[in-house]
Amino acid sequence: MTDQATADPTMARIIEAVQLGQAGAPARAREHLTALWDELGPSGDALHRCTLAHYLADLQDTTEAELAWDERALAAVSDLTDERTQRYLSSLQVQAFLPSLYLNLADCHRRLGNVGPAREHLARAREHLVRLPDDPYGESIRAAVRDFVEDDPTDRRR
């Protein structure tokens, strides 16, 4: 039995916009996602807000703007429940979102030269790695955390 997503028009719009960005139209993707964010508002569905902010961060022109969207994604995840995520896709667990969200924050802070916050978010990403599934997604996040550490000149474990 495969784990198939339940029809969700808002998630479909998010995915369509992300695909626009991946196809070489990041400005159009950003416009679509920003308009959708405005529709959702601060009290909109937490799954939609988290997903949208997570993807919108990748479409920003500056690290500061990317950080702001990554922070919105992390804030939205605090309003999210497994019950809600599993109505969309039965295999999703909120805790499995955290390694990627914290890793993105660590990366932004590192690029901005904020060593302390970068280390804190990287530590949080590491703490939550056990929540990841044993699948290609989980492996990709684990590898990104390992690579981040290897490339991190502030890491004193060497």
Side-chain angles (χ1 to χ4, degrees):
M1 178 176 198
T2 60
D3 191 25
Q4 297 220 322
T6 302
D8 181 324
T10 301
M11 290 298 283
R13 290 173 64 194
I14 293 169
I15 292 165
E16 287 170 15
V18 169
Q19 290 170 341
L20 265 177
Q22 292 170 341
R28 284 186 49 216
R30 187 173 49 241
E31 289 171 17
H32 287 297
L33 289 174
T34 301
L36 184 52
W37 179 267
D38 292 341
E39 286 177 36
L40 292 174
S43 60
D45 183 295
L47 177 61
H48 297 153
R49 287 184 291 122
C50 181
T51 305
L52 193 151
H54 179 67
Y55 285 118
L56 198 48
D58 294 337
L59 296 168
Q60 299 306 304
D61 293 328
T62 68
T63 304
E64 292 84 0
E66 182 179 346
L67 177 61
W69 284 107
D70 283 333
E71 288 171 339
R72 288 179 183 116
L74 184 63
V77 88
S78 68
D79 296 333
L80 196 50
T81 65
D82 285 341
E83 185 272 327
R84 169 58 188 108
T85 62
Q86 291 168 7
R87 280 196 324 251
Y88 176 64
L89 190 64
S90 65
S91 64
L92 291 179
Q93 294 183 344
V94 174
Q95 293 294 310
F97 291 19
L98 295 174
S100 176
L101 295 175
Y102 282 118
L103 182 61
N104 289 344
L105 289 165
D107 182 52
C108 284
H109 281 292
R110 179 174 62 172
R111 286 184 281 138
L112 290 169
N114 303 329
V115 175
R119 284 184 180 153
E120 290 172 27
H121 288 299
L122 183 59
R124 298 293 304 269
R126 282 190 198 122
E127 288 171 18
H128 292 284
L129 287 176
V130 298
R131 313 273 191 202
L132 290 172
D134 278 336
D135 64 8
Y137 169 77
E139 286 307 312
S140 71
I141 300 300
R142 286 182 193 92
V145 168
R146 283 191 305 271
D147 292 347
F148 187 98
V149 172
E150 290 171 8
D151 293 341
D152 184 357
T154 66
D155 191 330
R156 298 182 183 193
R157 293 180 300 151
R158 292 188 225 173

